[in-house]
Amino acid sequence: MEHTIIFLPLIGALVGYLGRSISKYFSELITSLLVCISAILSMAVFWNGIENNIYGNYKIIEWISSGGFKANWSINVDPLSSIMLVVVTFVSALVHIYSIGYMSHDPHKPRFMSYLSLFTFSMLALVVSDNFLQLFFGWEGVGLCSYLLIGFWYKRETANNAAIKAFIVNRVGDFGLAIAIFLIFLYFGTINFEEVFQATNQYSNEKYIFFGIEFNLITLICIFLFIGAMGKSAQFLLHTWLPDAMEGPTPVSALIHAATMVTAGVFLVVRCSPMFEYSQIALNLVTIVGMVTAIFAASVALVQNDIKKIVAYSTCSQLGYMFFAAGVGAYSVAMFHLFTHAFFKALLFLGAGSIIHALKDEQDIRNMGGMRKKLPYTYTFMLIGTLALTGFPFLSGFYSKDAIIEFAYLRNSPLGNYAATIGILTAFLTAVYSWRLFFKTFHGPYNNKKVTIHETHESPIIMLIPLVFLSIGAIFSGFLFKDTLIGHNSNDFWQTSIFFLNEIKHDVIPMWFLLITPLLVLVSIPISFYLYILNPKILEDFKKTNLPLYNFLLNKWYIDELYQKIFVSTAKNIGSFFWKKGDIGIIDRFGPDGISKLVKIISNKAGRLQTGFIYDYAFVMLLGLSILLTYLILK
């Protein structure tokens, strides 16, 4: 069964791409069917793990064997990978079904469906790996598929640029991960998770000199592992690719943000918890970066106008939550939020796609409004997704996001208290920008001048069915699985897949602390409705004051501009210098251009001897004969 889960999406990718000429809907149906079967089997594996404790490591082939070094291609099913199997396959299956309707008018939909299935296979290969090499294979696979899908509409220059940007920024993180794997192999002599994690304690005091600076070996490895996670999960400073990735079709955005690419970084940190637990410096770094990412992305989302970019920055912010949860040692809570987040984030993205579909590709929320009666089903689904994201009481986000804040508080450390404070503030900002999107889309006057309100229409049933299932997950997943994943007996579920050196105790939390986040979430609803619908003039007047705050947020803290100046412009200037002085000034001048110029000069000189008079030809022949005789005599 485990083999079937992994390889069905790969078969779907191959058959779907090659079978595009069989019939009109063959590729869509075969890819969707195979991923749906994979999702059903994944849920069976997950349930078997909970009820019967059935897990195992299933070897497929011996991939590399060299001396004492061995790396297998295996399917490692443990509690951590089983929950990831459900997240990846379930969301992917619904995205496949949704894409049948959303991409119905695209002439290249077989290629699109094939890429989606390949993306799913790459992520599955990553999460079931039992060694760093197989993980790196899946890691690079999801990077490649994201490049192909973000740039799917390759005739758009913006899509090509976004795909290249995602690929290059991820190379920075991937380089960090590669260095970490090299260091692990250098010292541990193996790259198998179990062997490395068992030996970590022995190397906890080992030193390594890196660029002349002495580091603790485990700390250095964990820092490089986290750099890899930062790239994939779009953490602060390596986040710049994520908003631009919205150039791809909306189903791609849902798959990247809810189940595949960006969750890989969180999975990596949690998988490597046996190493991170021996490096407090690395854990502090994870916490700080997670905190900064959470507040940064939430603040930027407040002023964005592209509906998909608002949801994208929301993902970035929620990933920050997951990382600072892992940083304070609450790995199980980070995974719980990853689990619940998959449902409501996929719901929001696919709901946004339904809105864009109704408005004929309009994405600016300023050109929307007043559509709740025309899109009643989409309105309901977006409402559920918004409530879950903001942490409205008793929906999935309420249980997982509040748990992160509570566990940060329970860590009872200065950094943990900072993280809890940032988490509360970010929760309020999340509620504000989420309700801003919702109210400006569905309430107030209709503002689109290109598409009349009467032309808008609800999405077809094939696009609404996935939203129904995601809504169920967004409502019930937190309540149903909170005890299993983060309850007092949650260690019985996680077993050895997550390592706790200093486990957080479930102490009593003050009532005021438990109530503050839900109260802020509830208060944000009337505040947002007043500011964005009833009296938007307040914010418009604020924009006209020319205070730097609005432009600072609108320009995303000027990180892209900073990179443009430091890296892009510098690289262009250096390249221009070497091109002009090196290529043109030296290589071309003394190479092909110089040789051709010399040949031309000699040819022009020789051409003067072509006079047509016999005595000139006789003279040249005599001269040549003299040179030949001289050469033979001297030889």
Side-chain angles (χ1 to χ4, degrees):
M1 184 162 61
E2 289 77 7
H3 296 75
T4 307
I5 293 171
I6 306 303
F7 289 107
L8 278 183
L10 178 61
I11 294 170
L14 296 173
V15 174
Y17 189 83
L18 298 175
R20 53 186 170 173
S21 59
I22 295 176
S23 68
K24 184 177 180 181
Y25 296 107
F26 177 79
S27 295
E28 293 95 312
L29 294 176
I30 193 66
T31 53
S32 301
L33 176 63
L34 294 180
V35 175
C36 285
I37 295 172
S38 184
I40 294 169
L41 295 177
S42 295
M43 287 184 266
V45 167
F46 180 57
W47 186 252
N48 273 336
I50 294 176
E51 289 295 307
N52 304 314
N53 195 30
I54 298 176
Y55 299 108
N57 190 308
Y58 310 94
K59 177 181 172 181
I60 300 175
I61 58 169
E62 188 176 87
W63 194 5
I64 297 175
S65 179
S66 177
F69 172 70
K70 286 183 173 56
N72 296 329
W73 186 284
S74 301
I75 299 175
N76 179 41
V77 178
D78 63 0
L80 181 58
S81 59
S82 69
I83 196 170
M84 288 300 297
L85 287 177
V86 172
V87 169
V88 174
T89 56
F90 182 75
V91 173
S92 178
L94 296 178
V95 168
H96 275 73
I97 295 169
Y98 181 93
S99 299
I100 295 174
Y102 191 86
M103 301 293 289
S104 60
H105 300 296
D106 194 292
H108 305 292
K109 54 184 178 293
R111 177 165 58 90
F112 178 78
M113 302 299 287
S114 176
Y115 286 169
L116 285 183
S117 291
L118 184 61
F119 204 167
T120 305
F121 165 74
S122 298
M123 189 65 188
L124 291 176
L126 189 159
V127 300
V128 300
S129 56
D130 73 344
N131 61 77
F132 283 100
L133 188 61
Q134 185 181 335
L135 180 140
F136 194 72
F137 171 85
W139 195 271
E140 293 301 308
V142 294
L144 171 64
C145 293
S146 68
Y147 170 80
L148 295 173
L149 285 166
I150 293 168
F152 178 75
W153 287 320
Y154 56 86
K155 292 184 180 180
R156 296 183 185 176
E157 185 179 358
T158 52
N160 285 327
N161 291 339
I164 293 170
K165 186 176 183 180
F167 198 78
I168 291 174
V169 173
N170 270 275
R171 293 289 69 71
V172 177
D174 295 354
F175 184 63
L177 176 59
I179 292 176
I181 296 173
F182 295 154
L183 284 172
I184 289 170
F185 176 69
L186 177 65
Y187 274 84
F188 291 79
T190 180
I191 54 172
N192 294 318
F193 291 147
E194 186 177 355
E195 295 174 3
V196 171
F197 298 156
Q198 286 178 352
T200 299
N201 186 33
Q202 303 172 22
Y203 292 91
S204 58
N205 295 317
E206 186 77 30
K207 303 297 181 183
Y208 184 83
I209 297 176
F210 187 75
F211 283 110
I213 303 173
E214 187 178 77
F215 288 91
N216 176 275
L217 175 65
I218 302 301
T219 296
L220 190 64
I221 290 172
C222 288
I223 288 173
F224 280 117
L225 286 172
F226 181 57
I227 290 173
M230 286 176 65
K232 274 290 178 287
S233 293
Q235 292 301 280
F236 186 66
L237 298 181
L238 292 180
H239 69 277
T240 53
W241 68 269
L242 193 63
D244 291 23
M246 298 304 99
E247 289 293 333
T250 301
V252 173
S253 304
L255 193 58
I256 288 176
H257 287 249
T260 54
M261 183 112 162
V262 298
T263 61
V266 179
F267 171 81
L268 175 66
V269 172
V270 176
R271 172 61 81 195
C272 296
S273 57
M275 302 192 79
F276 278 89
E277 281 292 288
Y278 284 97
S279 175
Q280 191 57 48
I281 293 175
L283 286 175
N284 290 344
L285 177 64
V286 174
T287 306
I288 292 169
V289 172
M291 286 191 302
V292 173
T293 304
I295 195 71
F296 154 76
S299 65
V300 171
L302 285 170
V303 297
Q304 297 300 305
N305 295 309
D306 186 306
I307 188 170
K308 287 173 64 177
K309 285 190 177 181
I310 295 172
V311 185
Y313 276 110
S314 169
T315 301
C316 195
S317 181
Q318 298 305 305
L319 289 165
Y321 270 106
M322 297 174 205
F323 275 109
F324 80 65
V328 299
Y331 303 104
S332 58
V333 185
M335 287 305 300
F336 182 43
H337 191 50
L338 185 153
F339 177 67
T340 60
H341 174 265
F343 296 106
F344 58 74
K345 187 50 56 71
L347 178 61
L348 286 170
F349 262 115
L350 297 185
S354 184
I355 296 166
I356 295 167
H357 182 76
L359 292 173
K360 299 180 181 178
D361 298 329
E362 178 59 68
Q363 295 184 199
D364 194 325
I365 61 173
R366 293 171 296 184
N367 297 327
M368 299 179 186
M371 294 192 296
R372 64 186 183 278
K373 292 182 180 179
K374 292 292 291 182
L375 307 176
Y377 298 117
T378 302
Y379 177 84
T380 303
F381 296 136
M382 288 294 287
L383 177 61
I384 293 171
T386 301
L387 289 170
L389 171 62
T390 57
F392 193 83
F394 310 116
L395 272 74
S396 59
F398 167 74
Y399 292 103
S400 59
K401 187 159 62 175
D402 281 25
I404 291 175
I405 298 170
E406 291 163 15
F407 272 73
Y409 175 82
L410 288 173
R411 174 50 74 188
N412 196 25
S413 66
L415 197 57
N417 293 334
Y418 284 130
T421 304
I422 292 294
I424 292 170
L425 177 59
T426 303
F428 176 72
L429 296 180
T430 300
V432 172
Y433 71 67
S434 297
W435 289 113
R436 170 180 177 259
L437 183 155
F438 183 79
F439 289 139
K440 288 183 75 68
T441 301
F442 293 106
H443 292 264
Y446 182 76
N447 299 310
N448 197 304
K449 294 179 174 57
K450 295 181 180 178
V451 181
T452 65
I453 188 70
H454 302 292
E455 292 180 84
T456 60
H457 56 86
E458 190 60 88
S459 297
I461 189 69
I462 194 71
M463 292 173 62
L464 295 177
I465 289 175
L467 299 180
V468 174
F469 285 99
L470 291 170
S471 296
I472 294 171
I475 296 171
F476 297 110
S477 62
F479 173 76
L480 292 176
F481 292 97
K482 62 183 175 61
D483 292 330
T484 302
L485 300 182
I486 63 170
H488 290 278
N489 298 318
S490 60
N491 286 351
D492 294 338
F493 169 74
W494 293 111
Q495 301 179 27
T496 58
S497 63
I498 292 179
F499 180 74
F500 302 97
L501 191 62
N502 299 301
E503 189 173 354
I504 300 174
K505 296 180 180 179
H506 293 251
D507 294 332
V508 177
I509 301 175
M511 184 58 67
W512 66 267
F513 189 83
L514 291 174
L515 292 177
I516 187 169
T517 305
L519 286 174
L520 286 174
V521 169
L522 292 172
V523 167
S524 69
I525 300 175
I527 291 175
S528 301
F529 191 76
Y530 179 77
L531 289 176
Y532 296 114
I533 299 299
L534 296 181
N535 196 358
K537 190 173 182 300
I538 294 176
L539 293 176
E540 293 300 324
D541 291 340
F542 175 75
K543 293 178 188 177
K544 295 175 183 176
T545 58
N546 293 323
L547 291 174
L549 178 61
Y550 176 73
N551 287 327
F552 180 70
L553 297 180
L554 188 65
N555 288 284
K556 301 159 288 188
W557 290 24
Y558 294 102
I559 302 296
D560 280 289
E561 288 77 6
L562 184 65
Y563 284 174
Q564 178 71 27
K565 190 168 186 65
I566 294 176
F567 298 114
V568 179
S569 296
T570 303
K572 283 184 176 180
N573 290 335
I574 293 173
S576 177
F577 172 80
F578 281 107
W579 173 55
K580 291 180 179 178
K581 300 295 183 181
D583 272 12
I584 297 176
I586 298 175
I587 296 174
D588 286 352
R589 182 181 176 188
F590 297 105
D593 290 350
I595 293 172
S596 62
K597 187 176 181 180
L598 180 63
V599 170
K600 187 177 180 180
I601 292 172
I602 294 172
S603 298
N604 290 335
K605 297 291 186 183
R608 294 180 182 178
L609 299 174
Q610 303 295 325
T611 61
F613 297 107
I614 193 170
Y615 52 79
D616 286 329
Y617 297 142
F619 173 73
V620 172
M621 293 170 66
L622 183 61
L623 184 63
L625 180 62
S626 301
I627 295 172
L628 179 61
L629 290 173
T630 304
Y631 170 74
L632 292 173
I633 292 169
L634 292 176
K635 185 178 179 182

